[in-house]
Amino acid sequence: MTVSARMRVLAAMSGGVDSAVAAARAVAAGHDVTGVHLALARDPASHRTGARGCCTKEDARDARRAADVLGIPFYVWDLAERFHDDVIDDFVAEYAAGRTPNPCLRCNEKIKFTAVLDRALALGFDAVVTGHHARLSVADGVPTLRRSVDEAKDQSYVLAVLTREQLAHSMFPLGDSTKTQVRAEAAARGLAVAEKPDSHDICFIADGDTAGFLRRELGSRPGSVVDSVTGDVLGEHDGAYAYTVGQRRGLRLGRPAADGRPRYVLDIQPVSGTVTVGPAEALDADLVDAGRPVWTDGVARDGELRCAVQVRAHGGRVPAVVTATPDGVVARLETPVRGVAAGQALVLYDGDRVLGSATITATRPVPAAGPLAEVTA
Amino acid sequence: MTYLDHAATTPMLPEAVEAFTAALGEVGNPSSLHASGRRARRVVEEARERIAAALGARPSEIVFTAGGTEADNLAIKGLFWARRGADPRRTRILAGAAEHHAVLDAAHWLAVHERAEVTLLDVDAVGRVRPETLAAALADQADQAALVTVMWANNEVGTVQPIAELAAVAAEHGVPFHTDAVQAVGQLPVDFAASGVDALTVTGHKLGGPLGVGALLLGRDLRLTPLLHGGGQERDVRSGTLDAPGIVAFAVAVEAAVKSRSERTAALAELRDDLIRRVVELVPDAVLNGDPVDRLPGNAHFSFPGCEGDALLMLLDARGIECSTGSACSAGVAQPSHVLLAMGADEERARGSLRFSLGHTSTAADVDELIGALGPVVERARRAGEGWRS
Ligand SMILES: Cc1ncc(COP(=O)(O)O)c(C=O)c1O
């Protein structure tokens, strides 16, 4: 690293091992690093329970301790109100509308790389560094975002919502390492969080009971569970938000299907509360509509492109032909994907490189015949 | 490094360091009956006498504690329990609205767990509790009052309270009066007997003594329920083996701070006035909070419109200048100061505040450093704005 490349960077430190090592690497690279812990909970619990997220006082202490070990200044930024409005309220409203939101993605979009990044830039920082597992390089202000070398830990999916400007002021120093390497490095650097368990639950739902959380937020909203084939009412429920498209477990249907095969949630109608269930193959989506496209390099595509798409945070990629317009994209999947949920992101990849993303609005089976253009019209 | 946070803690005086380190090498539990114990006891008792003499108290009125927070808790909870025990109608605590959290949270805890009723005494626009406010509150509540507590000087905005007048009002109604004088001792003339207060909190680390040692000065006729039970070392009001080295160093610091007070604080106030004048010159819309005249000699507390206090703090910190937003933290999250809110400031003014506090090691160069850095810092913080939270 040359002296001229020394930057003032703000390291977002959750209290976990990834962000601690990311900050450590920024320090080792010669940057002038300041740590901040984002206080996101209005009333933070004092201890972690289970695999909770990143909002307890204990996490704040862990982050501070890591910053002390690295010898960098450390502050806490209170973003609880904003997190509540932009992430939690959005999460609840999306479920109420029958969609399946990804709060981590929303948090990246609205909190870490908008509220925090904007403030950091205004305060004179050049970039924000986080412990996300993805590879990012920026040349002449144009970012290239790639999947992590650790496929299992890759987080490029939840970063693909970021704009060119946001990525141009970001640093993800962990993308070239596996999680195992990150933990080993934390231990070698004397960071006490080296063995801290990963967080994978939704950080603001402490007990991991999403349906219970939504029931408290939204109250009882009874509706019917209907068989897609026969149209029969199979049962009642007290809130369609307890279901997600593709769900199989916990449907609590009295009667088995006529053919004896398992049934899955196919569709959720938020207004009537009707949850439609049916056979697995009815979940297969060939065409995925998605709106609000974001192009990683800032160049809006128009027309057709071949790429691979990913439709949920921990799903695989499938080859697709994507037709892009300024308002949205339609992806025609080469092989159908099961359980694509509205509200999730459709992320486009060229190999391991992120091209961009859009928010899934609907899925359709491929029409028997006719060119794609007619479908999109 | 430019240290402008003496109100948080101030460097130990060299003579206190010397007394402290010398005492650390000595063995002896002051409660032990043998020669080593007696030696330790003697050192502690001499310290008690020196503190009493410096603060206008009797040696028997000094109860050593592990600092200001413990002394405040002991006064508030101990007086509440003792007074209510003697007369169950006495459940009311009257406290200044701008008290330190060691006082306010203790009162709040009693409200939640012991069904105490808390009357917060309004402060005026500079943070002062007016004697007529206390008189009015006591006029119809005196027989329910367990105690009154108003700090001698405010740790955030520096305003000095009319303590003798307030204590006289409480005395008129026969209600014990406690004052947190943590910021006052060594900065203002503090005479326990002459002030008329019944209980007074002092701590070592704000006046050049060590951290973690302090005292509650407690009138001899006042009964108080202990918080810490055990050996009963301090008048049966406070248990725990006495921290002889800390107490000795504390006494040395109190004595030195009181002795040097008038000369030192005259120079300090001059330096502080220079700081205030130059800050306002540099940032004309900066608002000085607290009483412009009747304030702690080392305190300069401002609101910078359009800025967040924590942004200013961080930017100054990056330039080696250390100060404070003056407000308490919960999980490190800066809350808008309850002191400024009590003074009638809106949330924006409360969030945009910063405290510079000078002390015995401060120099004109410190003020120069601050003035040299402040202009661009305020400009930058202003650009970062205050609306980023919502
Ligand atoms: C007014 C006031 N009271 C009480 C305290 C607490 O004292 P200590 O730090 O010794 O517990 C402080 C210091 O933070 C203070 O400023």
Side-chain angles (χ1 to χ4, degrees):
Chain A
M1 166 118 330
T2 59
V3 176
S4 63
R6 179 181 162 91
M7 296 196 286
R8 286 199 69 208
V9 301
L10 190 80
M13 300 179 74
S14 67
V17 60
D18 290 328
S19 56
V21 172
R25 288 188 177 179
V27 172
H31 298 303
D32 177 3
V33 183
T34 295
V36 290
H37 178 74
L38 309 178
L40 302 178
R42 273 180 176 164
D43 188 12
S46 54
H47 294 285
R48 289 168 64 92
T49 50
R52 244 205 104 192
C54 50
C55 313
T56 66
K57 289 183 182 174
E58 192 181 349
D59 292 312
R61 267 196 305 278
D62 288 344
R64 177 184 296 280
R65 185 72 193 104
D68 290 345
V69 170
L70 299 178
I72 59 173
F74 177 85
Y75 308 94
V76 176
W77 285 9
D78 177 12
L79 280 151
E81 290 310 310
R82 191 132 177 194
F83 184 77
H84 199 275
D85 293 350
D86 287 347
V87 180
I88 302 179
D89 283 353
D90 174 81
F91 179 81
V92 173
E94 284 290 286
Y95 264 106
R99 291 187 287 268
T100 308
N102 183 321
C104 300
L105 186 150
R106 188 69 68 237
C107 178
N108 282 337
E109 181 186 8
K110 300 280 191 183
I111 304 294
K112 291 187 183 134
F113 299 96
T114 297
V116 174
L117 178 59
D118 286 353
R119 188 175 200 233
L121 295 178
L123 288 172
F125 291 95
D126 303 304
V128 165
V129 54
T130 71
H132 284 108
H133 284 266
R135 280 177 287 166
L136 174 67
S137 57
V138 181
D140 298 328
V142 181
T144 302
L145 180 65
R146 292 177 186 280
R147 296 177 74 87
S148 164
V149 298
D150 189 337
E151 254 311 313
K153 289 291 166 190
D154 173 61
Q155 289 174 306
S156 60
Y157 180 84
V158 290
L159 297 169
V161 282
L162 302 182
T163 64
R164 168 184 164 168
E165 288 72 28
Q166 289 170 318
L167 288 168
H169 292 105
S170 302
M171 287 171 62
F172 308 137
L174 303 189
D176 283 317
S177 305
T178 63
K179 183 78 182 207
T180 312
Q181 290 169 329
V182 170
R183 285 199 183 278
E185 182 172 336
R189 289 181 183 278
L191 295 166
V193 289
E195 296 305 322
K196 196 168 166 175
D198 286 1
S199 56
H200 15 239
D201 295 346
I202 296 171
C203 71
F204 53 86
I205 303 177
D207 53 8
D209 177 10
T210 303
F213 172 82
L214 290 167
R215 192 167 299 115
R216 285 193 297 280
E217 291 287 322
L218 294 168
S220 174
R221 295 189 179 186
S224 304
V225 180
V226 174
D227 189 304
S228 69
V229 181
T230 63
D232 289 352
V233 173
L234 301 177
E236 304 295 329
H237 63 74
D238 64 358
Y241 45 73
Y243 301 89
T244 48
V245 169
Q247 176 181 344
R248 173 184 166 192
R249 297 227 169 91
L251 297 184
R252 282 174 291 136
L253 301 175
R255 277 179 289 158
D259 56 10
R261 291 169 57 210
R263 283 173 295 206
Y264 295 79
V265 175
L266 303 182
D267 182 57
I268 298 163
Q269 290 298 318
V271 178
S272 62
T274 301
V275 174
T276 307
V277 299
E281 59 270 18
L283 276 172
D284 288 350
D286 297 296
L287 280 178
V288 179
D289 293 306
R292 297 197 304 136
V294 175
W295 299 100
T296 305
D297 58 10
V299 181
R301 311 297 203 278
D302 207 346
E304 229 174 70
L305 64 142
R306 298 201 131 270
C307 58
V309 301
Q310 183 174 334
V311 296
R312 72 175 80 91
H314 300 289
R317 283 161 287 166
V318 291
V321 176
V322 169
T323 309
T325 69
D327 303 325
V329 299
V330 181
R332 179 189 218 131
L333 311 183
E334 227 163 67
T335 47
V337 171
R338 196 151 281 184
V340 181
Q344 298 273 314
L346 172 78
V347 176
L348 316 181
Y349 291 90
D350 174 15
D352 61 6
R353 183 167 63 95
V354 175
L355 298 174
S357 75
T359 307
I360 296 171
T361 52
T363 61
R364 295 171 285 162
V366 174
L372 195 59
E374 274 175 33
V375 179
T376 54
Chain B
M1 192 192 68
T2 303
Y3 188 71
L4 298 175
D5 203 13
H6 289 263
T9 194
T10 198
M12 268 177 85
L13 297 166
E15 54 266 49
V17 174
E18 198 178 308
F20 193 53
T21 45
L24 285 171
E26 300 293 325
V27 69
N29 182 328
S31 299
S32 297
L33 301 178
H34 45 60
S36 296
R38 285 196 299 277
R39 204 161 39 237
R41 182 88 214 166
R42 183 178 155 194
V43 161
V44 166
E45 292 312 317
E46 280 171 6
R48 195 189 303 279
E49 287 161 12
R50 291 165 80 174
I51 293 171
L55 299 181
R58 297 185 183 136
S60 59
E61 291 173 323
I62 313 283
V63 176
F64 287 117
T65 66
T69 301
E70 188 198 330
D72 282 343
N73 273 267
L74 178 58
I76 308 301
K77 293 174 186 163
L79 279 172
F80 172 82
W81 278 319
R83 293 267 298 164
R84 190 187 61 178
D87 180 345
R89 287 176 309 167
R90 293 179 191 141
T91 55
R92 191 165 289 281
I93 298 168
L94 296 93
E99 295 301 300
H100 190 272
H101 279 293
V103 166
L104 284 183
D105 290 5
H108 179 68
W109 184 89
L110 288 170
V112 172
H113 297 278
E114 290 290 315
R115 278 182 257 142
E117 288 154 292
V118 178
T119 298
L120 289 184
L121 301 165
D122 285 342
V123 297
D124 63 16
V126 298
R128 180 179 295 110
V129 177
R130 295 174 183 270
E132 50 273 30
T133 305
L134 177 59
L138 280 176
D140 45 329
Q141 300 178 345
D143 54 351
Q144 307 159 35
L147 69 136
V148 177
T149 176
V150 179
M151 67 207 314
W152 198 299
N154 187 273
N155 52 300
E156 290 188 32
V157 299
T159 297
V160 178
Q161 304 287 350
I163 282 302
E165 286 172 66
L166 291 166
V169 173
E172 225 170 87
H173 291 89
V175 180
F177 186 95
H178 164 257
T179 187
D180 177 337
V182 159
Q183 296 287 340
V185 174
Q187 304 296 322
L188 304 166
V190 171
D191 185 311
F192 182 63
S195 70
V197 308
D198 299 291
L200 180 148
T201 293
V202 54
T203 193
H205 72 101
K206 311 274 187 183
L207 47 77
L211 291 150
V213 59
L216 182 67
L217 276 54
L218 185 66
R220 280 188 305 176
D221 44 355
L222 221 54
R223 268 182 21 84
L224 194 149
T225 305
L227 303 186
L228 303 181
H229 298 90
Q233 283 85 347
E234 290 288 274
R235 275 171 65 182
D236 275 335
V237 161
R238 201 267 188 185
S239 293
T241 301
L242 289 171
D243 168 13
I247 287 169
V248 171
F250 175 37
V252 168
V254 169
E255 210 169 48
V258 168
K259 194 160 142 223
S260 68
R261 184 193 57 80
S262 95
E263 214 175 306
R264 175 171 44 80
T265 58
L268 198 58
E270 218 169 280
L271 197 59
R272 188 268 324 269
D273 290 342
D274 184 48
L275 184 154
I276 291 176
R277 190 180 48 74
R278 290 167 71 186
V279 166
V280 175
E281 235 170 58
L282 194 65
V283 188
D285 58 351
V287 181
L288 179 72
N289 295 309
D291 194 304
V293 181
D294 238 344
R295 71 188 303 133
L296 289 168
N299 176 289
H301 187 284
F302 298 94
S303 288
F304 294 96
C307 301
E308 291 258 355
D310 73 335
L312 293 168
L313 184 146
M314 180 174 121
L315 293 166
L316 286 171
D317 190 9
R319 289 158 179 79
I321 296 168
E322 302 181 326
C323 61
S324 162
T325 54
S327 55
C329 292
S330 95
V333 174
Q335 301 293 326
S337 151
H338 72 283
V339 173
L340 286 175
L341 295 179
M343 286 160 55
D346 56 21
E347 192 151 316
E348 184 197 327
R349 189 175 136 208
R351 281 198 188 279
S353 66
L354 212 56
R355 177 186 72 187
F356 306 111
S357 51
L358 305 168
H360 66 93
T361 56
S362 298
T363 62
D366 293 333
V367 178
D368 294 343
E369 286 289 332
L370 170 66
I371 298 301
L374 190 63
V377 161
V378 168
E379 198 178 300
R380 212 173 239 310
R382 216 161 253 174
R383 218 174 309 144
E386 9 142 9
W388 68 285
R389 277 169 219 277
S390 51

